[in-house]
Amino acid sequence: RPSKPASGGSGKPATDLAEHIVEVISDSGEGAQRCGQSLGAIAARSGNGIWTVEIIPAEIQPPARSVAGASGIRIRIGQKRVTNGGDETDLVVAFNEQVLLGRVRAGELKPGAQILLESMWSEHRDPKIVQSYQEAVAMLKGSGFRVYEVPLERECRKLVADPRKGKNMFVLGMLCNIYSLDMDLARDQVAFIFGKKDAKVIASNVALLEAGWQWAESHLDFKYRVPAVKATVPQVVINGNTAVALGVLASGMDICAMYPITPATSASHYLSEVFEKVGGLVHQAEDEIAACAFAIGAS
């Protein structure tokens, strides 16, 4: 149902939802997962229930713009606690049409889902890429999806020399607008994730965030809000790998032998920082078999 205009300077009314599932997908290295994790953190701090699922390519170092190369994240935002990533995506932001087609063919999108698609490929110097893009857009629209073409490259180039390093924060701003999230929390999140960088980097990414919010406000004809009540007790926003690592700490294990590989790497990263403080040892093996052998020998 329509509600009063959302906070943050927006004049557009927002439609209240019980929950929504959003995906951000790109080629590897374009920051889609950081964008989605940040969106989840902002929504969680607003009081929403959150569940995120990383989208990992089936191939190691797949070619750019390949159907098999979809890398990204799914974020389920709910009014109350959620316990899984849900079945089908309501809204997806895609950095190219090929990674998007991978998700469509896998049946991950809800019929009639909204798609925000990077439009730079419609002007590419390679006519084959232009044709591929145009055919994909026509197919998606013909299948009933609501496609919005977004000039991410062009808009980000107004602020940064390398849009590839800025699109994810622009998209984060768009999503904050779409889901009526507090921009002060969003700016805090950007400052947090770039906290080890200098002030210019933080300022640049905040500018991208705000530009994305404004573009969505000016060009999109929809806005949502997933109402939530902020928690009155301390909460933890945590990913599954960190939870696994905390489980290792709580279990009383003395040694953890691991071969770090996506998507498990951050579990060993976290343990390497804290395990020794409680008397534990992390061993990085050269492969999975060596890790098993090391653990058996240690036992």
Side-chain angles (χ1 to χ4, degrees):
R1 64 185 188 277
S3 70
K4 64 182 180 180
S7 61
S10 173
K12 288 194 297 187
T15 300
D16 282 359
L17 302 173
E19 67 168 36
H20 226 226
I21 299 173
V22 57
E23 288 188 6
V24 184
I25 53 173
S26 69
D27 289 325
S28 295
E30 291 188 298
Q33 291 180 2
R34 171 173 279 182
C35 172
Q37 289 162 355
S38 298
L39 176 69
I42 295 163
R45 290 184 63 192
S46 301
N48 291 111
I50 291 294
W51 194 273
T52 65
V53 181
E54 292 183 355
I55 299 166
I56 307 297
E59 301 178 10
I60 297 174
Q61 294 183 331
R65 286 181 46 82
S66 63
V67 171
S71 175
I73 191 166
R74 168 181 284 191
I75 311 99
R76 186 179 183 186
I77 305 173
Q79 287 190 14
K80 300 179 181 179
R81 182 171 175 258
V82 294
T83 59
N84 58 74
D87 292 324
E88 295 176 317
T89 298
D90 296 290
L91 182 146
V92 57
V93 183
F95 287 31
N96 69 68
E97 83 285 353
Q98 294 301 308
V99 293
L100 174 62
L101 292 176
R103 301 300 288 168
V104 172
R105 293 171 186 174
E108 297 292 351
L109 273 63
K110 186 175 291 184
Q114 293 165 302
I115 295 171
L116 305 179
L117 178 60
E118 162 67 276
S119 64
M120 64 176 284
W121 312 106
S122 66
E123 302 172 349
H124 199 275
R125 62 182 179 273
D126 186 340
K128 292 182 179 179
I129 289 179
V130 174
Q131 181 180 359
S132 170
Y133 175 86
Q134 292 174 342
E135 289 175 351
V137 170
M139 182 276 292
L140 292 165
K141 290 181 177 179
S143 300
F145 294 108
R146 296 165 59 190
V147 180
Y148 297 80
E149 297 179 76
V150 184
L152 295 176
E153 179 90 3
R154 186 181 72 205
E155 293 299 316
C156 291
R157 197 173 290 280
K158 295 176 182 178
L159 297 168
V160 291
D162 184 0
R164 185 178 169 86
K165 295 182 179 180
K167 290 182 184 181
N168 61 341
M169 290 298 102
F170 187 92
V171 169
L172 179 61
M174 290 174 55
L175 293 171
C176 285
N177 179 277
I178 291 169
Y179 292 104
S180 306
L181 294 171
D182 188 321
M183 282 295 284
D184 286 336
L185 291 180
R187 294 183 190 95
D188 289 346
Q189 179 66 22
V190 172
F192 173 76
I193 60 180
F194 293 102
K196 294 182 180 179
K197 305 287 186 179
D198 63 38
K200 289 183 179 179
V201 173
I202 295 173
S204 174
N205 282 280
V206 167
L208 287 161
L209 173 85
E210 293 173 343
W213 189 99
Q214 190 57 58
W215 191 93
E217 179 68 15
S218 301
H219 293 86
L220 298 180
D221 59 359
F222 61 90
K223 177 172 283 197
Y224 303 122
R225 186 177 64 137
V226 183
V229 178
K230 288 188 178 181
T232 57
V233 296
Q235 300 284 300
V236 174
V237 179
I238 190 171
N239 67 39
N241 284 356
T242 304
V244 167
L246 289 173
V248 170
L249 296 176
S251 71
M253 290 185 197
D254 297 310
I255 291 175
C256 188
M258 304 179 72
Y259 174 64
I261 189 171
T262 301
T265 304
S266 62
S268 55
H269 284 178
Y270 184 82
L271 280 172
S272 68
E273 295 176 357
V274 300
F275 205 17
E276 289 186 358
K277 297 178 182 178
V278 294
L281 173 69
V282 180
H283 173 249
Q284 178 174 326
E286 61 268 32
D287 56 39
E288 295 89 342
I289 294 174
C292 292
F294 190 96
I296 291 169
S299 70

